[in-house]
Amino acid sequence: MRRYFESCSRTLALCATMASGLVLLLAVFPALPIGGETLDVRDGYTYAEVLAALEGYGESGRRVYAWASVTLDTLFPVLYASFLAGLVYRCRPAERWWRLAYLPVAAALIDLGENIQIVLMLTRYPDISTGQVAAASLFTSLKGVASLLCLTLAIALAVVARIRRAR
């Protein structure tokens, strides 16, 4: 994994993963014809909220959402994990801190778990259980917290690195 982190920390890789992730986040995802707010942008959700959302998407929206979850929303965690892991690895204050770069990878794995849960609900609708919704909501909540912590860590390390370089 260390070679992966070294590769991700190169300037070209950081620029490419950031740009690709932003294109997906700001242009591609909002343009998907799903027919409502996706579940994975929420903080969490209840069984009733999921049923209402899945009904609101319609059959076509659920199909597009499921397709996007297994393709585009699988690529997105890989991109942001690569970007954040590369930034953390590059800006670590001491050599022994290189393992902090694993944290964005862990956040991406939680995101992929969320995607699996959401695809299961989309493809099984209307036959979904409260337990399934609870598991999906938990993954969504954990993803939000883990992603925010990793972004905060990367920004903090980048600021510290910039200050150290300025001195």
Side-chain angles (χ1 to χ4, degrees), residues 4-18:
Y4 166 71
F5 296 144
E6 288 171 2
S7 176
C8 291
S9 70
R10 294 188 175 112
T11 301
L12 182 59
L14 286 169
C15 291
T17 54
M18 183 179 71

Side-chain angles (χ1 to χ4, degrees), residues 8-132:
C8 291
S9 70
R10 294 188 175 112
T11 301
L12 182 59
L14 286 169
C15 291
T17 54
M18 183 179 71
S20 301
L22 287 173
V23 166
L24 279 175
L25 186 64
L26 301 175
V28 176
F29 288 137
L32 292 172
I34 292 172
E37 179 185 59
T38 60
L39 297 171
D40 53 349
V41 299
R42 301 179 186 197
D43 293 330
Y45 31 82
T46 65
Y47 183 75
E49 291 170 336
V50 168
L51 289 180
L54 295 181
E55 176 67 26
Y57 301 149
E59 185 178 333
S60 175
R62 287 190 300 273
R63 190 172 38 254
V64 169
Y65 191 1
W67 171 84
S69 289
V70 297
T71 57
L72 301 172
D73 207 15
T74 296
L75 176 60
F76 184 67
V78 171
L79 290 171
Y80 80 70
S82 297
F83 173 71
L84 293 175
L87 193 59
V88 167
Y89 187 85
R90 183 175 185 155
C91 297
R92 66 195 186 281
E95 180 59 29
R96 68 178 187 270
W97 290 31
W98 74 270
R99 287 181 179 85
L100 286 175
Y102 278 103
L103 294 175
V105 174
L109 291 174
I110 293 169
D111 195 339
L112 294 173
E114 175 205 35
N115 293 347
I116 291 167
Q117 296 295 323
I118 288 174
V119 168
L120 288 173
M121 291 190 303
L122 289 164
T123 57
R124 291 180 179 171
Y125 177 80
D127 298 320
I128 56 175
S129 69
T130 55
Q132 177 69 53

